[in-house]
Amino acid sequence: MTDTTGIADLDFTSVTPQEFARIVKGLSGKEMKEIVQDGALRLRILREVFARMESQFRPENAGQTSAVIRWKVGQDGETVFETAIDKGSCTVTEGRSEETPKVTLVLGDTEFLNLVSGNANPITLFFSRKLKVVGDLTLAARLTHYFAIPKA
């Protein structure tokens, strides 16, 4: 893979959510495809995005919500993370737990990165069938209010 984006050299811990959103917004389709095809880089980016969810969580908006959200990301939803929201706290784990999720979100890598960087509208993704929602649709619709999503 030729790294035309420079993203492979980034220290993601030093990139703000807004900077990440700008980087994602500036990627061409070809560049995004190259990132996705580099398994190690793809996983590094996904892990960093999910690691930030806890700090981006807005407990005041989630209220007394208690739910497990399963994220299946990739061409076949092969990478799984779970977000557990429990009355004002949020924890993220990699992999599938034995918990029954209240909602499962299935989407490709490009759609996921665009969604979490504020560069895609979840409703548009859903109606264009690029985001599959299994379970509680109301909870899925509220997720964007539970997290501070950066804008590019």
Side-chain angles (χ1 to χ4, degrees), residues 39-101:
L41 177 59
R42 174 188 174 271
L43 193 55
R44 196 175 111 210
I45 291 169
L46 290 176
R47 285 179 174 152
E48 182 60 33
V49 168
F50 279 101
R52 291 179 180 209
M53 279 190 176
E54 292 178 23
S55 65
Q56 298 294 109
F57 182 62
R58 300 158 120 179
E60 68 280 5
N61 291 356
Q64 293 299 304
T65 301
S66 185
V68 170
I69 297 97
R70 183 170 291 151
W71 302 80
K72 294 174 143 188
V73 181
Q75 186 174 358
D76 298 315
E78 71 269 15
T79 305
V80 176
F81 283 84
E82 291 183 345
T83 307
I85 297 172
D86 189 27
K87 299 175 185 143
S89 70
C90 174
T91 55
V92 176
T93 54
E94 185 174 348
R96 180 188 171 112
S97 71
E98 295 302 315
E99 292 283 329
T100 301

Side-chain angles (χ1 to χ4, degrees), residues 11-26:
D11 173 10
F12 290 110
T13 59
S14 68
V15 175
T16 68
Q18 290 73 23
E19 289 169 328
F20 181 74
R22 281 193 297 278
I23 290 168
V24 170
K25 186 175 187 173

Side-chain angles (χ1 to χ4, degrees), residues 1-8 26-43 45 109-110 113:
M1 174 184 125
T2 36
D3 180 38
T4 58
T5 65
I7 201 165
L27 294 173
S28 69
K30 179 184 176 206
E31 290 168 330
M32 187 69 82
K33 186 176 180 182
E34 288 177 354
I35 290 168
V36 170
Q37 288 175 340
D38 181 333
L41 177 59
R42 174 188 174 271
L43 193 55
I45 291 169
D109 292 294
T110 300
L113 291 175

